[in-house]
Amino acid sequence: MGDTTYTDTVRHCYELIDAGRLEEFLANFHDDVVYERQGMPDMHGALALRRFYEHDRVIATGRHSLDQVIADGPWVAVRGRFTGTLKDGSDIDFRFRDWVHFRGGRIDHRETLFPTFKV
């Protein structure tokens, strides 16, 4: 899989999660994925990732706007903004950074950084 396909996949993942298409989103991840999310313990495995998106994620709805998506081999770096609403009804608007690693055409590692408040 080339860099263009990796960046296309990453862009599509944001579209899927913003649209609430969880099954299609999760299909892009390895069963043994590791997700490092600032302010939270690392998530290990597809079941932990599913649990996060189905139950633990404090975001109710929102949209990612991507400013930069840069690939280097199996790594993709993303810089963007998220605007949305938390499950408690409060509005949020913040910048984020993501690093995504691919193995065998699917994401096996993701790291997300954002402002110091917990989301």
Side-chain angles (χ1 to χ4, degrees), residues 38-94:
Q38 182 175 327
M40 298 182 64
D42 294 353
M43 291 168 247
H44 295 269
L47 292 177
L49 188 65
R50 174 180 293 280
R51 184 172 44 256
F52 170 74
Y53 278 98
E54 287 181 343
H55 303 289
D56 301 333
R57 188 176 191 231
V58 298
I59 296 169
T61 61
R63 182 175 180 278
H64 295 85
S65 300
L66 308 183
D67 299 329
Q68 290 181 310
V69 181
I70 302 168
D72 183 11
W75 283 98
V76 177
V78 179
R79 186 175 72 89
R81 175 174 295 283
F82 181 84
T83 56
T85 305
L86 298 178
K87 289 179 180 174
D88 70 5
S90 57
D91 292 330
I92 54 172
D93 182 347
F94 62 88

Side-chain angles (χ1 to χ4, degrees), residues 14 16 18-19 27-28 31 35-36 38-39 43 49 57 59 61 66 68 70 76 79 84 89 98 100 110-111 117:
Y14 291 106
L16 291 171
D18 290 349
N28 291 284
D31 289 341
Y35 184 18
E36 296 178 60
Q38 182 175 327
M43 291 168 247
L49 188 65
R57 188 176 191 231
I59 296 169
T61 61
L66 308 183
Q68 290 181 310
I70 302 168
V76 177
R79 186 175 72 89
D98 261 339
V100 178
R110 180 179 177 196
E111 180 179 351
F117 59 89

Side-chain angles (χ1 to χ4, degrees), residues 37-39 80-82 92-97 112-119:
R37 187 172 172 90
Q38 182 175 327
R81 175 174 295 283
F82 181 84
I92 54 172
D93 182 347
F94 62 88
R95 305 218 27 91
F96 70 92
R97 311 289 184 272
T112 301
L113 299 174
F114 43 77
T116 55
F117 59 89
K118 187 173 182 178
V119 291

